[in-house]
């Protein structure tokens, strides 16, 4: 004899009820975990900024960051330092029509489509922020590779020209090929190279693997078997060292603007 519990309507009620309960549990967990996720994301950012400046050591990352790093904000069009906009989120600002600029095809060499109007920069002080002795300037840069947008921090000496460090901290390139963009041995070859030439124009060149001259101030070897990812790195540098990137700010740095605070 057939049971009433076998009816289609009761089965649907059970399934829908179960889905609703699961949805409530997942939504509640997502809301409750969001502050912790944001804290972890910020901590990871602090860690990468410290790492690219060579200031990451054992100990509390937030304490190290607060001791050595000063976060400032730059109007990319003028190169001027500005106050941090209220509730500013750089990633969101890149996509918001009110806080970003859509790039033309000719401008968009890094394939990022839009660029935030205001970007963070990080001033690093080996002896601590209180010393006032600026040792590095860290720029956030990003550009498209073969499969993904690759995000990195670029550390420059206080002259705004010489590369002191590079770390790619987020990318989705092919593991073992383009993914080697995160290999410390590969990014290490950028250290000591010149981002800009004497005229202030973008000068770093990612050449075919094995073709970088040891005497060159600008050449680094590309990634073996990852031409399009290497091209993405080149285009990322071209854009962020250029007029729509940090060029106006770096020009002011070379003119000594930071010496006046």
């Amino acid at each position: 004899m057939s049971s009433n519990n076998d009816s289609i309507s009761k089965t649907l009620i059970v399934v829908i009820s179960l889905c609703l309960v699961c949805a409530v549990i997942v939504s509640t967990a997502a809301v409750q975990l969001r502050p912790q996720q944001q804290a972890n994301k910020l901590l990871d950012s602090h860690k990468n900024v410290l790492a690219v400046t060579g200031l990451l050591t054992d100990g509390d990352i937030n304490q190290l960051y607060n001791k050595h790093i000063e976060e400032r904000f730059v109007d990319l069009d003028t190169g001027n330092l500005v106050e941090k906009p209220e509730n500013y989120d750089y990633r969101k600002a890149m996509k918001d029509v009110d806080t970003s600029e859509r790039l033309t095809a000719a401008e968009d060499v890094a394939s990022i489509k839009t660029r935030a109007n205001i970007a963070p920069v990080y001033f690093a002080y080996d002896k601590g922020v209180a010393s006032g002795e600026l040792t590095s300037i860290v720029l956030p840069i990003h550009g498209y590779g073969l499969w993904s947008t690759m995000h990195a921090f670029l550390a420059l000496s206080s002259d705004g020209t010489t590369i002191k460090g590079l770390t790619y901290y987020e990318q989705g390139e092919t593991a073992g090929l383009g993914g080697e963009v995160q290999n410390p041995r590969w990014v290490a070859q950028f250290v000591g190279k010149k981002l800009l030439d004497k005229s202030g124009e973008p000068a770093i060149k990612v050449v075919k693997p094995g073709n970088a001259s040891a005497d060159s101030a600008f050449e680094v070897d590309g990634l073996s078997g990852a031409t399009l990812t290497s091209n993405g790195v080149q285009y990322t540098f071209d854009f962020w060292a250029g007029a729509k990137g940090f060029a106006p700010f770096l020009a002011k740095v070379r003119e000594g603007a930071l010496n006046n605070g």
Side-chain angles (χ1 to χ4, degrees):
M1 185 173 67
S2 159
S3 168
N4 290 336
N5 289 333
D6 293 336
S7 67
I8 293 177
S9 61
K10 286 190 174 181
T11 300
L12 288 174
I13 290 173
V14 170
V15 170
I16 292 172
S17 298
L18 184 60
C19 290
L20 289 173
V21 169
C22 290
V24 170
I25 292 174
V26 171
S27 299
T28 302
V31 170
Q32 291 182 338
L33 291 175
R34 187 172 300 157
Q36 186 60 48
Q37 291 171 338
Q38 292 174 337
N40 289 339
K41 185 178 178 181
L42 184 61
L43 184 68
D44 188 60
S45 176
H46 289 178
K47 182 179 178 180
N48 284 304
V49 171
L50 288 166
V52 78
T53 57
L55 292 169
L56 181 63
T57 60
D58 292 336
D60 187 283
I61 290 174
N62 284 330
Q63 286 184 1
L64 282 171
Y65 184 88
N66 292 332
K67 178 181 178 181
H68 293 286
I69 306 298
E70 179 185 24
E71 186 177 1
R72 302 291 296 272
F73 291 83
V74 172
D75 182 319
L76 291 176
D77 286 330
T78 65
N80 292 331
L81 292 172
V82 296
E83 294 296 321
K84 179 183 179 180
E86 187 175 359
N87 299 321
Y88 192 69
D89 183 316
Y90 185 43
R91 290 287 183 98
K92 291 181 179 178
M94 296 176 191
K95 307 299 181 184
D96 190 325
V97 295
D98 293 328
T99 56
S100 68
E101 176 181 341
R102 176 161 288 280
L103 302 167
T104 66
E107 295 168 340
D108 191 18
V109 293
S111 300
I112 57 176
K113 297 181 180 177
T114 58
R115 179 221 67 178
N117 297 325
I118 294 175
V121 294
Y122 307 87
F123 294 165
Y125 303 80
D126 289 359
K127 296 180 180 178
V129 175
S131 73
E133 297 180 23
L134 179 67
T135 48
S136 305
I137 302 168
V138 179
L139 310 177
I141 61 175
H142 64 282
Y144 204 79
L146 172 59
W147 303 111
S148 68
T149 299
M150 305 180 293
H151 294 265
F153 286 121
L154 173 68
L156 302 174
S157 57
S158 57
D159 65 6
T161 298
T162 307
I163 296 174
K164 294 186 69 175
L166 172 68
T167 180
Y168 274 91
Y169 62 90
E170 183 180 325
Q171 53 84 24
E173 299 301 281
T174 307
L177 295 172
E180 290 297 292
V181 73
Q182 287 186 302
N183 189 323
R185 286 178 296 179
W186 185 72
V187 295
Q189 64 177 326
F190 285 81
V191 177
K193 300 295 183 182
K194 299 293 185 183
L195 176 67
L196 308 169
D197 62 20
K198 292 182 179 178
S199 301
E201 295 297 322
I204 196 79
K205 295 297 179 189
V206 181
V207 301
K208 290 183 179 179
N211 282 266
S213 169
D215 298 328
S216 172
F218 308 110
E219 294 180 352
V220 295
D221 283 320
L223 293 161
S224 181
T227 300
L228 294 181
T229 301
S230 298
N231 289 346
V233 174
Q234 175 69 68
Y235 299 146
T236 298
F237 274 88
D238 289 344
F239 178 82
W240 288 105
K244 286 294 179 180
F246 289 103
F249 168 66
L250 294 175
K252 292 181 181 294
V253 171
R254 294 195 303 280
E255 294 167 358
L258 299 184
N259 296 333
N260 298 318

